[in-house]
Amino acid sequence: MNTIMRKSVLSVAGLAFAGGVFAGPIAAHANPVDAKPVAVAVQTAAPKPQGDQSHISLNDEQTANVKAIIAATKKAGLPERAAVISIATSLQESKLDNLGHLGDANDHDSLGLFQQRPSSGWGTPEQITNPEYSTTAFLKGLRQVDGWQDMALTDAAQTVQVSAYPDAYAQWEQQATDLVGQYWNS
């Protein structure tokens, strides 16, 4: 933070403190019947997407998977940001295709939208290839990440997925955000 900005912030904080010290004794004599609580809404904006962004056109199956991820996120009682992270993760892992076993092209025993592995405890092959189940499993992992709501998407996704390419999730943030914006209320 530069010096001018720091001085401005400290000045405002000082005025707020002084006002509180001065107003405190006066407010103590105010008529409590007239006092009404004031609700203050604090809303944090999602972080700006990091780096170059990728985009793919979606077919009907991929769009259905987006809707399934959003439905599972809502069912879990999580906010839109969780759906954005989930969709970006699935875009990176499978391009939103619910992948079965790919033979020699398979990464170990990775399956489904999130390329989860039965051998790593994500569930059975049947469970992992069920979009609602695999999303719920991903969201369960996301909930265990302290501060996931405010961290960079790629950091939140990587903490859950433990990928060999930890920065790859970031490239899908804009498309995931757009998809959630398009389908969250539909």
Side-chain angles (χ1 to χ4, degrees):
M1 186 180 305
N2 67 34
T3 305
I4 294 172
M5 178 67 101
R6 185 182 356 258
K7 286 181 181 178
S8 296
V9 169
L10 291 175
S11 295
V12 170
L15 287 173
F17 175 75
V21 169
F22 177 72
I26 294 171
H29 300 289
N31 185 350
V33 175
D34 294 335
K36 295 179 183 170
V38 177
V40 177
V42 177
Q43 183 177 15
T44 57
K48 183 179 179 201
Q50 297 176 320
D52 293 336
Q53 295 294 294
S54 296
H55 185 278
I56 61 170
S57 295
L58 303 183
N59 62 31
D60 291 344
E61 181 183 343
Q62 292 165 309
T63 300
N65 289 331
V66 165
K67 292 176 180 179
I69 290 170
I70 289 172
T73 303
K74 286 180 173 183
K75 187 174 181 180
L78 291 171
E80 291 177 48
R81 181 72 178 153
V84 170
I85 295 168
S86 299
I87 291 169
T89 301
S90 182
L91 277 163
Q92 174 57 33
E93 295 293 347
S94 69
K95 303 298 182 278
L96 287 165
D97 286 320
N98 194 8
L99 300 173
H101 194 277
L102 301 175
D104 291 340
N106 231 48
D107 179 22
H108 305 287
D109 57 341
S110 300
L111 301 168
L113 294 172
F114 296 90
Q115 289 295 277
Q116 296 159 330
R117 298 177 59 194
S119 64
S120 294
W122 284 100
T124 66
E126 294 77 23
Q127 290 171 321
I128 291 170
T129 54
N130 174 301
E132 181 180 357
Y133 178 91
S134 62
T135 302
T136 302
F138 176 82
L139 293 170
K140 181 180 177 185
L142 185 63
R143 282 184 171 181
Q144 295 173 3
V145 177
D146 288 334
W148 67 266
Q149 301 92 331
D150 300 317
M151 66 176 49
L153 179 144
T154 197
D155 294 336
Q158 172 61 13
T159 303
V160 177
Q161 293 292 105
V162 192
S163 170
Y165 306 98
D167 299 324
Y169 302 106
Q171 68 184 312
W172 300 105
E173 186 163 4
Q174 188 60 60
Q175 184 169 13
T177 300
D178 294 344
L179 289 166
V180 170
Q182 183 176 356
Y183 294 112
W184 185 263
N185 291 318
S186 62

